[in-house]
Coordinates of all heavy atoms in Angstrom, one line a residue:
M1 N 49.7 16.6 -22.6 CA 49.0 17.2 -21.5 C 47.5 17.0 -21.6 O 46.8 16.7 -20.7 CB 49.4 18.6 -21.4 CG 48.6 19.3 -20.3 SD 49.7 20.3 -19.3 CE 48.6 21.1 -18.3
Y2 N 47.0 17.1 -22.8 CA 45.6 17.0 -23.1 C 45.1 15.6 -22.7 O 44.0 15.4 -22.1 CB 45.2 17.3 -24.5 CG 43.8 17.2 -24.9 CD1 42.9 18.1 -24.4 CD2 43.3 16.1 -25.7 CE1 41.5 18.0 -24.7 CE2 42.0 16.0 -26.0 CZ 41.1 16.9 -25.5 OH 39.8 16.8 -25.8
N3 N 45.9 14.5 -23.1 CA 45.6 13.2 -22.8 C 45.5 12.9 -21.3 O 44.6 12.2 -20.8 CB 46.6 12.2 -23.4 CG 46.4 12.2 -24.9 OD1 45.3 12.5 -25.4 ND2 47.5 11.8 -25.7
I4 N 46.3 13.5 -20.5 CA 46.4 13.3 -19.1 C 45.1 13.9 -18.4 O 44.4 13.3 -17.6 CB 47.6 13.9 -18.5 CG1 48.9 13.2 -18.9 CG2 47.5 13.9 -17.0 CD1 50.2 13.9 -18.5
L5 N 44.7 15.1 -18.9 CA 43.5 15.7 -18.4 C 42.3 14.9 -18.8 O 41.4 14.7 -18.0 CB 43.3 17.2 -18.8 CG 44.3 18.2 -18.3 CD1 44.1 19.5 -19.0 CD2 44.1 18.4 -16.8
W6 N 42.2 14.5 -20.0 CA 41.1 13.8 -20.5 C 40.9 12.4 -19.7 O 39.9 12.1 -19.3 CB 41.3 13.5 -22.0 CG 40.1 12.6 -22.5 CD1 40.2 11.3 -22.9 CD2 38.8 13.0 -22.7 NE1 39.0 10.9 -23.3 CE2 38.1 11.9 -23.2 CE3 38.0 14.1 -22.5 CZ2 36.8 11.9 -23.5 CZ3 36.7 14.2 -22.8 CH2 36.1 13.0 -23.3
S7 N 42.0 11.7 -19.5 CA 42.0 10.5 -18.8 C 41.6 10.6 -17.3 O 40.9 9.8 -16.8 CB 43.3 9.7 -18.9 OG 44.3 10.4 -18.3
S8 N 42.1 11.7 -16.7 CA 41.7 11.9 -15.3 C 40.2 12.3 -15.2 O 39.5 11.9 -14.3 CB 42.5 13.0 -14.7 OG 42.3 14.2 -15.2
T9 N 39.7 13.1 -16.1 CA 38.3 13.4 -16.1 C 37.5 12.2 -16.4 O 36.4 11.9 -15.7 CB 38.0 14.5 -17.3 OG1 38.8 15.6 -17.0 CG2 36.5 14.9 -17.2
L10 N 37.9 11.3 -17.3 CA 37.1 10.1 -17.6 C 37.2 9.1 -16.4 O 36.1 8.6 -16.1 CB 37.8 9.4 -18.8 CG 37.1 8.2 -19.3 CD1 35.7 8.5 -19.8 CD2 37.9 7.6 -20.5
S11 N 38.3 9.1 -15.7 CA 38.3 8.2 -14.5 C 37.5 8.7 -13.4 O 36.8 7.9 -12.7 CB 39.8 7.9 -14.1 OG 40.3 9.1 -13.5
N12 N 37.4 10.0 -13.2 CA 36.5 10.6 -12.2 C 35.0 10.3 -12.6 O 34.2 10.1 -11.6 CB 36.7 12.1 -12.1 CG 38.0 12.5 -11.4 OD1 38.5 11.6 -10.7 ND2 38.5 13.7 -11.5
R13 N 34.6 10.4 -13.8 CA 33.3 10.1 -14.2 C 32.9 8.6 -13.9 O 31.9 8.3 -13.5 CB 33.0 10.5 -15.7 CG 33.0 11.9 -15.9 CD 32.7 12.2 -17.4 NE 32.7 13.6 -17.6 CZ 32.8 14.2 -18.8 NH1 32.9 13.4 -19.9 NH2 32.8 15.5 -19.0
Q14 N 33.8 7.8 -14.3 CA 33.6 6.4 -14.0 C 33.5 6.1 -12.5 O 32.7 5.3 -12.1 CB 34.8 5.5 -14.6 CG 34.7 5.5 -16.1 CD 36.0 4.8 -16.7 OE1 36.9 4.6 -15.9 NE2 36.0 4.5 -17.9
H15 N 34.3 6.8 -11.7 CA 34.3 6.6 -10.3 C 32.9 7.1 -9.7 O 32.3 6.4 -8.9 CB 35.5 7.3 -9.6 CG 35.6 7.0 -8.2 ND1 35.9 5.8 -7.7 CD2 35.5 7.8 -7.1 CE1 36.0 5.8 -6.4 NE2 35.7 7.0 -6.0
E16 N 32.5 8.3 -10.2 CA 31.2 8.8 -9.7 C 30.0 7.9 -10.1 O 29.1 7.7 -9.4 CB 31.0 10.2 -10.2 CG 31.9 11.2 -9.6 CD 31.7 12.6 -10.3 OE1 30.9 12.7 -11.2 OE2 32.5 13.5 -9.9
G17 N 30.1 7.3 -11.3 CA 29.1 6.4 -11.8 C 29.0 5.1 -10.9 O 28.0 4.6 -10.6
G18 N 30.1 4.7 -10.4 CA 30.2 3.5 -9.5 C 29.5 3.9 -8.2 O 28.9 3.0 -7.6
K19 N 29.7 5.1 -7.7 CA 29.1 5.5 -6.5 C 27.6 5.5 -6.6 O 26.8 5.1 -5.7 CB 29.6 6.9 -6.1 CG 31.0 6.9 -5.5 CD 31.3 8.3 -5.1 CE 32.7 8.4 -4.5 NZ 33.1 9.7 -4.1
E20 N 27.1 6.0 -7.8 CA 25.6 6.0 -8.0 C 25.1 4.6 -8.0 O 24.0 4.3 -7.5 CB 25.3 6.7 -9.3 CG 25.5 8.2 -9.2 CD 25.3 8.9 -10.6 OE1 24.7 8.3 -11.5 OE2 25.6 10.1 -10.7
I21 N 25.8 3.7 -8.7 CA 25.3 2.3 -8.7 C 25.3 1.7 -7.4 O 24.4 1.0 -7.0 CB 26.2 1.5 -9.7 CG1 25.9 1.9 -11.2 CG2 25.9 0.0 -9.6 CD1 26.9 1.3 -12.2
M22 N 26.3 2.0 -6.6 CA 26.4 1.4 -5.2 C 25.3 2.0 -4.4 O 24.7 1.2 -3.6 CB 27.8 1.7 -4.6 CG 28.9 0.9 -5.2 SD 28.8 -0.8 -5.0 CE 29.1 -1.0 -3.3
L23 N 25.0 3.3 -4.5 CA 23.9 3.8 -3.8 C 22.6 3.2 -4.1 O 21.8 2.8 -3.2 CB 23.8 5.4 -4.0 CG 22.7 6.1 -3.3 CD1 22.9 6.0 -1.9 CD2 22.6 7.5 -3.9
W24 N 22.3 3.0 -5.4 CA 21.1 2.3 -5.8 C 21.0 0.9 -5.3 O 20.0 0.4 -5.0 CB 20.9 2.4 -7.4 CG 20.4 3.7 -7.8 CD1 21.1 4.6 -8.4 CD2 19.1 4.3 -7.6 NE1 20.4 5.8 -8.6 CE2 19.1 5.5 -8.1 CE3 18.0 3.8 -7.0 CZ2 18.0 6.3 -8.1 CZ3 16.8 4.6 -7.0 CH2 16.9 5.9 -7.5
L25 N 22.1 0.2 -5.3 CA 22.2 -1.2 -4.8 C 21.9 -1.2 -3.3 O 21.1 -2.0 -2.9 CB 23.6 -1.7 -5.1 CG 23.8 -3.2 -4.8 CD1 22.9 -4.0 -5.7 CD2 25.2 -3.6 -5.0
Y26 N 22.4 -0.3 -2.5 CA 22.1 -0.2 -1.1 C 20.6 0.0 -0.9 O 20.0 -0.5 0.0 CB 22.9 0.8 -0.4 CG 24.4 0.5 -0.3 CD1 25.4 1.4 -0.5 CD2 24.8 -0.8 0.2 CE1 26.7 1.1 -0.3 CE2 26.1 -1.1 0.3 CZ 27.1 -0.1 0.1 OH 28.4 -0.5 0.3
I27 N 20.1 1.0 -1.7 CA 18.6 1.3 -1.5 C 17.8 0.1 -1.9 O 16.8 -0.3 -1.2 CB 18.3 2.5 -2.4 CG1 18.9 3.8 -1.8 CG2 16.8 2.7 -2.5 CD1 18.8 5.0 -2.7
L28 N 18.1 -0.6 -3.0 CA 17.4 -1.8 -3.4 C 17.5 -2.9 -2.3 O 16.5 -3.5 -2.0 CB 17.9 -2.3 -4.7 CG 17.2 -3.5 -5.3 CD1 15.8 -3.2 -5.6 CD2 18.0 -4.0 -6.5
I29 N 18.7 -3.1 -1.8 CA 18.8 -4.2 -0.8 C 18.0 -3.8 0.5 O 17.3 -4.6 1.1 CB 20.3 -4.4 -0.4 CG1 21.0 -5.1 -1.6 CG2 20.5 -5.2 0.8 CD1 22.5 -5.2 -1.5
G30 N 18.0 -2.6 0.8 CA 17.2 -2.1 2.0 C 15.7 -2.3 1.8 O 15.1 -2.7 2.7
V31 N 15.2 -1.9 0.6 CA 13.8 -2.1 0.4 C 13.4 -3.5 0.4 O 12.4 -3.9 0.9 CB 13.4 -1.4 -1.0 CG1 12.0 -1.7 -1.4 CG2 13.6 0.1 -0.8
L32 N 14.2 -4.4 -0.3 CA 13.9 -5.8 -0.3 C 14.0 -6.4 1.1 O 13.1 -7.3 1.5 CB 14.9 -6.5 -1.2 CG 14.8 -6.3 -2.7 CD1 15.9 -7.0 -3.5 CD2 13.4 -6.7 -3.2
A33 N 14.9 -6.0 1.9 CA 15.0 -6.5 3.3 C 13.8 -6.1 4.1 O 13.3 -6.9 4.9 CB 16.3 -6.0 3.9
L34 N 13.3 -4.9 3.9 CA 12.2 -4.4 4.6 C 10.9 -5.2 4.2 O 10.1 -5.6 5.1 CB 12.0 -2.9 4.3 CG 10.7 -2.2 4.9 CD1 10.9 -2.2 6.4 CD2 10.5 -0.8 4.3
I35 N 10.7 -5.4 2.9 CA 9.6 -6.2 2.4 C 9.6 -7.6 3.0 O 8.6 -8.1 3.5 CB 9.5 -6.1 0.9 CG1 9.2 -4.7 0.4 CG2 8.5 -7.1 0.4 CD1 9.3 -4.5 -1.1
A36 N 10.8 -8.2 2.9 CA 10.9 -9.6 3.4 C 10.7 -9.6 4.9 O 10.0 -10.5 5.5 CB 12.3 -10.1 3.1
G37 N 11.1 -8.7 5.7 CA 10.9 -8.6 7.1 C 9.4 -8.4 7.5 O 8.9 -9.1 8.4
L38 N 8.8 -7.6 6.7 CA 7.3 -7.4 6.9 C 6.6 -8.7 6.6 O 5.7 -9.0 7.4 CB 6.8 -6.3 6.1 CG 7.2 -4.8 6.5 CD1 6.8 -3.8 5.4 CD2 6.6 -4.5 7.8
A39 N 6.9 -9.3 5.5 CA 6.2 -10.6 5.2 C 6.4 -11.7 6.2 O 5.4 -12.3 6.7 CB 6.6 -11.0 3.8
I40 N 7.7 -11.8 6.6 CA 8.0 -12.9 7.6 C 7.3 -12.5 9.0 O 6.7 -13.4 9.6 CB 9.5 -13.1 7.8 CG1 10.1 -13.7 6.5 CG2 9.9 -13.9 9.0 CD1 11.6 -13.6 6.4
G41 N 7.4 -11.3 9.4 CA 6.7 -10.8 10.6 C 5.2 -11.1 10.6 O 4.7 -11.5 11.6
F42 N 4.6 -10.8 9.5 CA 3.1 -11.0 9.4 C 2.8 -12.5 9.6 O 1.9 -12.8 10.3 CB 2.6 -10.5 8.0 CG 1.2 -10.9 7.7 CD1 0.2 -10.3 8.3 CD2 0.9 -12.0 6.9 CE1 -1.1 -10.6 8.0 CE2 -0.3 -12.4 6.6 CZ -1.4 -11.7 7.2
F43 N 3.5 -13.4 8.9 CA 3.2 -14.8 9.0 C 3.5 -15.4 10.4 O 2.7 -16.2 10.9 CB 3.9 -15.6 7.9 CG 3.3 -15.4 6.6 CD1 4.0 -14.7 5.6 CD2 2.0 -15.8 6.3 CE1 3.4 -14.5 4.3 CE2 1.4 -15.6 5.1 CZ 2.1 -15.0 4.1
I44 N 4.5 -14.9 11.0 CA 4.8 -15.3 12.4 C 3.8 -14.8 13.4 O 3.3 -15.5 14.2 CB 6.2 -14.8 12.8 CG1 7.3 -15.6 12.1 CG2 6.4 -15.0 14.4 CD1 8.7 -15.0 12.3
A45 N 3.3 -13.5 13.2 CA 2.3 -13.0 14.1 C 1.0 -13.7 13.9 O 0.2 -14.0 14.8 CB 2.2 -11.5 13.9
R46 N 0.7 -14.0 12.6 CA -0.6 -14.7 12.3 C -0.6 -16.1 12.9 O -1.6 -16.5 13.6 CB -0.7 -14.8 10.8 CG -2.0 -15.5 10.3 CD -2.1 -15.4 8.8 NE -3.3 -16.1 8.4 CZ -3.3 -17.3 7.9 NH1 -2.2 -18.0 7.8 NH2 -4.4 -17.9 7.5
R47 N 0.5 -16.8 12.8 CA 0.5 -18.2 13.4 C 0.5 -18.1 14.9 O -0.2 -18.9 15.5 CB 1.8 -18.9 13.0 CG 2.0 -20.2 13.7 CD 3.1 -21.0 13.1 NE 2.6 -21.6 11.8 CZ 3.3 -22.3 11.0 NH1 4.6 -22.6 11.4 NH2 2.9 -22.8 9.9
Y48 N 1.1 -17.1 15.5 CA 1.1 -17.0 17.0 C -0.4 -16.7 17.4 O -0.8 -17.3 18.4 CB 2.0 -15.8 17.4 CG 1.9 -15.5 18.9 CD1 2.5 -16.3 19.9 CD2 1.1 -14.4 19.3 CE1 2.3 -16.0 21.2 CE2 1.0 -14.1 20.6 CZ 1.6 -14.9 21.6 OH 1.4 -14.6 22.9
M49 N -1.1 -15.8 16.8 CA -2.4 -15.4 17.2 C -3.4 -16.6 17.0 O -4.3 -16.8 17.8 CB -2.9 -14.2 16.4 CG -2.3 -12.9 16.9 SD -2.5 -12.6 18.7 CE -4.3 -12.5 18.8
M50 N -3.2 -17.4 15.9 CA -4.1 -18.5 15.7 C -3.9 -19.5 16.8 O -4.9 -20.1 17.3 CB -3.9 -19.1 14.3 CG -4.4 -18.2 13.2 SD -4.0 -18.9 11.5 CE -5.2 -20.2 11.4
T51 N -2.7 -19.8 17.1 CA -2.4 -20.8 18.2 C -2.9 -20.3 19.5 O -3.5 -21.0 20.3 CB -0.8 -21.0 18.3 OG1 -0.3 -21.4 17.0 CG2 -0.5 -22.0 19.4
Y52 N -2.7 -19.0 19.8 CA -3.2 -18.4 21.0 C -4.7 -18.5 21.1 O -5.3 -18.9 22.2 CB -2.8 -16.9 21.1 CG -3.3 -16.3 22.4 CD1 -2.6 -16.4 23.6 CD2 -4.4 -15.4 22.4 CE1 -3.1 -15.8 24.7 CE2 -4.9 -14.8 23.5 CZ -4.2 -15.0 24.7 OH -4.7 -14.4 25.8
L53 N -5.5 -18.2 20.1 CA -6.9 -18.2 20.1 C -7.4 -19.6 20.2 O -8.5 -19.9 20.8 CB -7.5 -17.5 18.9 CG -7.4 -16.0 18.9 CD1 -7.9 -15.3 17.6 CD2 -8.1 -15.3 20.1
K54 N -6.7 -20.5 19.6 CA -7.1 -21.9 19.7 C -6.9 -22.5 21.1 O -7.8 -23.2 21.6 CB -6.2 -22.8 18.7 CG -6.7 -24.2 18.6 CD -5.9 -24.9 17.5 CE -6.4 -26.2 17.2 NZ -5.6 -26.9 16.1
N55 N -5.9 -22.1 21.8 CA -5.7 -22.5 23.2 C -6.5 -21.7 24.2 O -6.8 -22.2 25.2 CB -4.2 -22.4 23.5 CG -3.4 -23.4 22.7 OD1 -3.8 -24.4 22.3 ND2 -2.1 -23.0 22.6
N56 N -6.8 -20.5 23.9 CA -7.5 -19.6 24.8 C -8.7 -19.0 24.0 O -8.6 -17.9 23.6 CB -6.6 -18.5 25.3 CG -5.4 -19.0 26.0 OD1 -5.5 -19.9 26.8 ND2 -4.3 -18.5 25.6
P57 N -9.8 -19.7 23.9 CA -10.9 -19.2 23.1 C -11.5 -17.9 23.8 O -11.5 -17.8 25.0 CB -12.0 -20.3 23.1 CG -11.5 -21.3 24.1 CD -10.1 -21.0 24.4
P58 N -11.9 -16.9 23.0 CA -12.4 -15.7 23.5 C -13.7 -15.8 24.3 O -13.9 -15.0 25.2 CB -12.6 -14.8 22.3 CG -12.7 -15.7 21.1 CD -11.9 -17.0 21.5
I59 N -14.5 -16.8 24.0 CA -15.8 -16.9 24.7 C -15.9 -18.4 25.2 O -15.7 -19.3 24.5 CB -17.0 -16.6 23.8 CG1 -16.9 -15.1 23.4 CG2 -18.3 -16.9 24.5 CD1 -18.1 -14.7 22.5
N60 N -16.1 -18.5 26.5 CA -16.4 -19.9 27.0 C -17.8 -20.0 27.5 O -18.6 -19.1 27.4 CB -15.3 -20.2 28.2 CG -15.5 -19.2 29.3 OD1 -16.5 -18.5 29.4 ND2 -14.5 -19.1 30.1
E61 N -18.2 -21.2 28.0 CA -19.6 -21.4 28.4 C -20.1 -20.5 29.4 O -21.2 -20.0 29.4 CB -19.7 -22.9 28.9 CG -19.5 -23.9 27.9 CD -19.7 -25.3 28.3 OE1 -20.2 -25.5 29.5 OE2 -19.4 -26.3 27.6
Q62 N -19.2 -20.2 30.4 CA -19.6 -19.2 31.5 C -20.0 -17.9 30.9 O -21.0 -17.3 31.3 CB -18.5 -19.1 32.5 CG -18.9 -18.4 33.8 CD -19.9 -19.1 34.6 OE1 -20.0 -20.3 34.5 NE2 -20.6 -18.4 35.4
M63 N -19.1 -17.4 30.0 CA -19.4 -16.0 29.4 C -20.7 -16.1 28.6 O -21.5 -15.1 28.6 CB -18.2 -15.6 28.5 CG -17.0 -15.4 29.3 SD -15.6 -15.1 28.1 CE -15.1 -13.5 28.5
L64 N -20.9 -17.2 27.8 CA -22.1 -17.3 27.0 C -23.3 -17.3 27.9 O -24.3 -16.7 27.6 CB -21.9 -18.6 26.2 CG -22.9 -18.8 25.1 CD1 -22.8 -17.7 24.1 CD2 -22.6 -20.1 24.4
K65 N -23.2 -18.0 29.0 CA -24.4 -18.1 30.0 C -24.7 -16.7 30.5 O -25.9 -16.3 30.6 CB -24.0 -19.1 31.1 CG -25.2 -19.4 32.0 CD -24.7 -20.4 33.0 CE -25.9 -20.8 33.9 NZ -25.5 -21.9 34.9
M66 N -23.7 -16.0 30.9 CA -23.9 -14.6 31.4 C -24.5 -13.7 30.4 O -25.4 -12.9 30.7 CB -22.6 -14.0 31.9 CG -22.1 -14.7 33.2 SD -20.6 -14.0 33.8 CE -21.0 -12.3 34.1
M67 N -24.1 -13.8 29.1 CA -24.6 -13.0 28.0 C -26.1 -13.3 27.8 O -26.9 -12.4 27.6 CB -23.8 -13.2 26.7 CG -22.5 -12.5 26.7 SD -21.6 -12.4 25.1 CE -21.9 -14.0 24.4
M68 N -26.4 -14.6 27.8 CA -27.8 -14.9 27.6 C -28.7 -14.4 28.8 O -29.8 -14.0 28.5 CB -28.0 -16.5 27.5 CG -27.3 -17.0 26.2 SD -27.4 -18.8 26.1 CE -29.1 -19.1 25.8
M69 N -28.2 -14.5 30.0 CA -29.0 -14.0 31.2 C -29.1 -12.5 31.0 O -30.2 -11.9 31.4 CB -28.3 -14.3 32.4 CG -28.3 -15.8 32.7 SD -27.4 -16.4 34.2 CE -28.1 -15.4 35.5
Q70 N -28.1 -11.8 30.5 CA -28.3 -10.3 30.4 C -29.3 -9.9 29.3 O -29.9 -8.9 29.4 CB -26.9 -9.7 30.0 CG -26.0 -9.7 31.2 CD -24.6 -9.2 30.8 OE1 -24.3 -9.0 29.6 NE2 -23.7 -8.9 31.8
M71 N -29.4 -10.8 28.3 CA -30.4 -10.6 27.2 C -31.8 -11.0 27.7 O -32.7 -10.8 26.9 CB -30.0 -11.3 26.0 CG -28.8 -10.7 25.3 SD -28.4 -11.5 23.7 CE -28.1 -13.1 24.0
G72 N -31.9 -11.5 28.8 CA -33.3 -11.8 29.3 C -33.7 -13.3 29.0 O -34.8 -13.6 29.2
M73 N -32.8 -14.1 28.6 CA -33.1 -15.5 28.3 C -32.7 -16.3 29.5 O -31.7 -16.0 30.2 CB -32.3 -16.0 27.1 CG -32.6 -15.4 25.8 SD -31.8 -16.3 24.5 CE -31.1 -15.0 23.6
K74 N -33.4 -17.4 29.6 CA -33.0 -18.4 30.7 C -32.2 -19.5 29.9 O -32.8 -20.3 29.2 CB -34.2 -19.0 31.4 CG -33.8 -19.9 32.5 CD -35.0 -20.1 33.4 CE -34.6 -21.2 34.4 NZ -34.6 -20.7 35.7
P75 N -30.9 -19.5 30.2 CA -30.1 -20.4 29.4 C -30.2 -21.9 29.9 O -30.1 -22.1 31.1 CB -28.7 -19.9 29.6 CG -28.7 -19.2 30.9 CD -30.1 -18.7 31.0
S76 N -30.4 -22.8 29.0 CA -30.4 -24.2 29.3 C -29.1 -24.7 28.9 O -28.4 -24.2 28.0 CB -31.5 -24.9 28.6 OG -31.4 -25.0 27.3
Q77 N -28.7 -25.8 29.5 CA -27.4 -26.4 29.1 C -27.4 -26.9 27.6 O -26.3 -26.7 26.9 CB -27.0 -27.6 30.1 CG -25.6 -28.0 29.9 CD -24.6 -27.0 30.3 OE1 -24.8 -26.2 31.2 NE2 -23.4 -27.0 29.6
K78 N -28.5 -27.3 27.2 CA -28.6 -27.8 25.8 C -28.3 -26.6 24.8 O -27.6 -26.7 23.8 CB -30.0 -28.4 25.5 CG -30.2 -28.9 24.2 CD -31.5 -29.5 24.0 CE -31.8 -30.0 22.6 NZ -33.1 -30.5 22.4
K79 N -29.0 -25.5 25.1 CA -28.8 -24.3 24.3 C -27.4 -23.8 24.3 O -26.8 -23.4 23.3 CB -29.8 -23.2 24.7 CG -29.8 -22.0 23.9 CD -30.5 -22.3 22.5 CE -30.6 -21.0 21.7 NZ -31.1 -21.3 20.4
I80 N -26.8 -23.8 25.5 CA -25.4 -23.3 25.6 C -24.4 -24.3 24.8 O -23.6 -23.8 24.0 CB -24.9 -23.3 27.1 CG1 -25.7 -22.2 27.8 CG2 -23.5 -23.1 27.2 CD1 -25.5 -22.1 29.3
N81 N -24.7 -25.6 24.9 CA -23.9 -26.5 24.1 C -24.0 -26.3 22.6 O -23.1 -26.4 21.8 CB -24.2 -28.0 24.5 CG -23.8 -28.3 25.9 OD1 -23.0 -27.6 26.5 ND2 -24.4 -29.4 26.5
Q82 N -25.3 -26.1 22.2 CA -25.5 -25.8 20.8 C -24.8 -24.6 20.3 O -24.2 -24.6 19.2 CB -27.0 -25.7 20.5 CG -27.8 -26.9 20.6 CD -29.3 -26.7 20.4 OE1 -29.8 -25.5 20.5 NE2 -30.1 -27.7 20.2
M83 N -24.8 -23.5 21.1 CA -24.2 -22.3 20.7 C -22.6 -22.4 20.7 O -21.9 -21.9 19.8 CB -24.6 -21.1 21.6 CG -26.1 -20.7 21.4 SD -26.6 -19.4 22.4 CE -25.8 -18.0 21.6
M84 N -22.1 -23.2 21.6 CA -20.7 -23.4 21.7 C -20.2 -24.2 20.5 O -19.2 -24.0 19.9 CB -20.2 -24.1 23.0 CG -20.3 -23.2 24.2 SD -19.2 -21.8 24.1 CE -17.6 -22.7 24.2
A85 N -21.0 -25.3 20.1 CA -20.7 -26.1 19.0 C -20.7 -25.2 17.7 O -19.8 -25.4 16.9 CB -21.7 -27.2 18.9
A86 N -21.7 -24.3 17.6 CA -21.8 -23.5 16.4 C -20.6 -22.6 16.3 O -20.0 -22.3 15.3 CB -23.1 -22.7 16.4
M87 N -20.2 -22.0 17.5 CA -19.0 -21.1 17.5 C -17.7 -21.9 17.2 O -16.8 -21.3 16.5 CB -18.9 -20.4 18.9 CG -20.0 -19.3 19.0 SD -20.1 -18.6 20.6 CE -18.5 -18.5 21.2
N88 N -17.5 -23.1 17.7 CA -16.4 -23.8 17.4 C -16.3 -24.3 16.0 O -15.2 -24.3 15.3 CB -16.3 -25.1 18.3 CG -16.0 -24.8 19.7 OD1 -15.4 -23.7 20.0 ND2 -16.4 -25.7 20.6
K89 N -17.4 -24.5 15.4 CA -17.5 -24.9 13.9 C -17.2 -23.7 13.1 O -16.4 -23.8 12.1 CB -18.9 -25.3 13.6 CG -19.1 -25.8 12.2 CD -20.5 -26.3 11.9 CE -20.7 -26.7 10.5 NZ -22.0 -27.1 10.2
Q90 N -17.6 -22.5 13.5 CA -17.3 -21.2 12.8 C -15.8 -21.0 12.9 O -15.2 -20.5 11.9 CB -18.1 -20.1 13.4 CG -17.9 -18.8 12.7 CD -18.5 -18.7 11.4 OE1 -19.5 -19.5 11.1 NE2 -18.1 -17.9 10.5
Q91 N -15.2 -21.2 14.0 CA -13.7 -20.9 14.1 C -12.9 -21.9 13.3 O -11.8 -21.6 12.9 CB -13.3 -21.0 15.6 CG -13.6 -19.8 16.4 CD -13.1 -19.9 17.9 OE1 -12.8 -21.0 18.3 NE2 -13.1 -18.8 18.6
G92 N -13.4 -23.1 13.2 CA -12.7 -24.2 12.4 C -12.6 -23.9 11.0 O -11.7 -24.5 10.3
K93 N -13.4 -23.0 10.4 CA -13.3 -22.7 9.0 C -12.0 -22.0 8.6 O -11.4 -21.3 9.2 CB -14.5 -21.9 8.5 CG -15.8 -22.6 8.5 CD -16.9 -21.8 8.0 CE -18.2 -22.6 7.9 NZ -19.3 -21.9 7.5

């Protein structure tokens, strides 16, 4: 009788240990999936924004001309072209 009780207690402990390992495995897989999802999402969002800004620059010649007029400068086409070239060069880095 002692052997039967001992073996059932032992099998229950082994079964509970398996549950703990499975729980830790689920937690580990969840954390790894979260980290992978965040990394992939970051790179996809970064590529999308870079493409968007390349196709739709935030400042164009008309906006630059208006800003210069608001600052009290009389914008010449040469000065506008120089500033646009400088901004495009800066974005290219």
Side-chain angles (χ1 to χ4, degrees):
M1 174 135 173
Y2 179 73
N3 286 338
I4 294 172
L5 289 175
W6 175 254
S7 66
S8 69
T9 305
L10 185 60
S11 68
N12 284 343
R13 287 184 185 164
Q14 288 173 346
H15 188 65
E16 288 174 5
K19 285 182 181 178
E20 289 177 13
I21 292 173
M22 291 299 289
L23 178 64
W24 282 107
L25 187 62
Y26 287 138
I27 291 171
L28 180 66
I29 290 172
V31 169
L32 290 176
L34 178 67
I35 291 170
L38 288 172
I40 291 170
F42 170 76
F43 287 112
I44 289 172
R46 182 175 178 262
R47 176 170 283 178
Y48 172 77
M49 286 305 296
M50 289 178 75
T51 304
Y52 178 81
L53 289 174
K54 190 174 187 179
N55 294 335
N56 304 309
I59 296 179
N60 58 19
E61 289 182 14
Q62 188 68 22
M63 293 171 118
L64 193 58
K65 187 175 182 178
M66 288 180 62
M67 287 191 316
M68 290 176 75
M69 289 172 62
Q70 287 176 351
M71 290 189 295
M73 294 190 229
K74 183 162 175 116
S76 67
Q77 190 62 36
K78 182 179 177 184
K79 186 69 174 173
I80 291 173
N81 291 341
Q82 287 175 345
M83 291 181 74
M84 287 298 293
M87 286 173 33
N88 288 337
K89 185 178 177 184
Q90 183 72 22
Q91 282 182 346
K93 287 184 178 179

